[in-house]
Amino acid sequence: GAAARSHLVRAFINRYFPEAEPESIKVKEDAMQRAQKYTGMYASLRRNYSTFEKLAVLLGALNIDVTDKGLLVMSYSGGIPSRWVELEPNVFRRVDQNTLAVFKEDDKGRITHLFFSTNPTAAQEKLGMFDNPDLHRNGLIITAIIFGLAFVFWPLGVYQRSKRHEALAKCQKLPYFIAWLMCGLSLY
């Protein structure tokens, strides 16, 4: 849906309002050193911060890396990466288009936001270490594995202990059944 719309709009604009081919820009020698401060994960400011829907950032974050030549490589999860060259401090241009990316710094020189010339009202915020989607995604995977193992091995342990202690009264088995049941329900 959205990709087809984007391609249609781009084709219409290219047909009736052709854009000049972007001029080639030479990468500056010290671009690699400066580009490191732009790397990291970015997420749209137009997102949920306090409800369950904030998990959408796990799939929609923008990742920025640097090539060995000093170009920025931007890609969304599962998206096609794009390369960007520095025009001036905090201003980059996409290599194959005339699209600009402008970064905003705070008072201490740290990058805080990213704006694109194609949609300047949709700002991106640089995510901190604890907001990194990779950290949360890995945490969810590890938690699911632990709960899955508990779901399998806890009932097996209960069954094994109950075989050894056949003399237990039925009222003493009730807590074990409740624990097994709660373990199963916790997966939902």
Side-chain angles (χ1 to χ4, degrees):
R5 176 185 53 91
S6 179
H7 289 295
L8 177 66
V9 169
R10 175 63 52 198
F12 179 84
I13 290 173
N14 287 342
R15 170 75 167 95
Y16 294 105
F17 305 101
E19 196 173 313
E21 194 67 30
E23 63 184 55
S24 175
I25 297 176
K26 187 174 181 179
V27 179
K28 299 174 184 170
E29 291 179 18
D30 58 346
M32 179 67 174
Q33 297 159 350
R34 284 192 313 279
Q36 289 299 325
K37 72 178 182 177
Y38 304 107
T39 61
M41 301 293 276
Y42 292 77
S44 174
L45 286 174
R46 300 166 102 183
R47 69 179 193 273
N48 257 323
Y49 290 85
S50 61
T51 66
F52 180 77
E53 294 168 336
K54 68 183 177 181
L55 293 176
V57 78
L58 295 178
L59 302 174
L62 173 68
N63 186 30
I64 298 182
D65 287 320
V66 179
T67 66
D68 55 353
K69 295 180 182 178
L71 295 173
L72 293 185
V73 178
M74 297 186 194
S75 63
Y76 286 96
S77 301
I80 299 170
S82 58
R83 295 179 305 139
W84 300 72
V85 64
E86 183 180 33
L87 296 177
E88 58 186 72
N90 297 336
V91 179
F92 288 79
R93 193 195 81 201
R94 190 168 166 167
V95 172
D96 57 347
Q97 294 177 0
N98 285 322
T99 305
L100 297 178
V102 180
F103 293 88
K104 180 183 175 193
E105 292 182 348
D106 63 6
D107 296 338
K108 297 178 183 175
R110 294 178 299 202
I111 300 299
T112 58
H113 293 86
L114 165 64
F115 304 90
F116 291 105
S117 62
T118 53
N119 189 0
T121 61
Q124 304 276 329
E125 173 183 39
K126 188 169 186 179
L127 299 175
M129 183 175 74
F130 294 113
D131 293 328
N132 189 325
D134 291 336
L135 175 71
H136 292 274
R137 192 177 305 117
N138 293 339
L140 284 172
I141 290 170
I142 290 170
T143 302
I145 289 171
I146 290 171
F147 273 104
L149 291 173
F151 183 70
V152 171
F153 289 112
W154 193 6
L156 287 176
V158 170
Y159 177 74
Q160 226 174 14
R161 281 191 299 277
S162 70
K163 284 295 184 186
R164 280 188 265 159
H165 303 328
E166 291 290 335
L168 285 176
K170 288 192 182 226
C171 65
Q172 290 178 332
K173 290 185 180 183
L174 182 62
Y176 289 109
F177 175 74
I178 292 172
W180 179 84
L181 181 65
M182 294 309 290
C183 180
L185 291 176
S186 70
L187 293 177
Y188 291 105

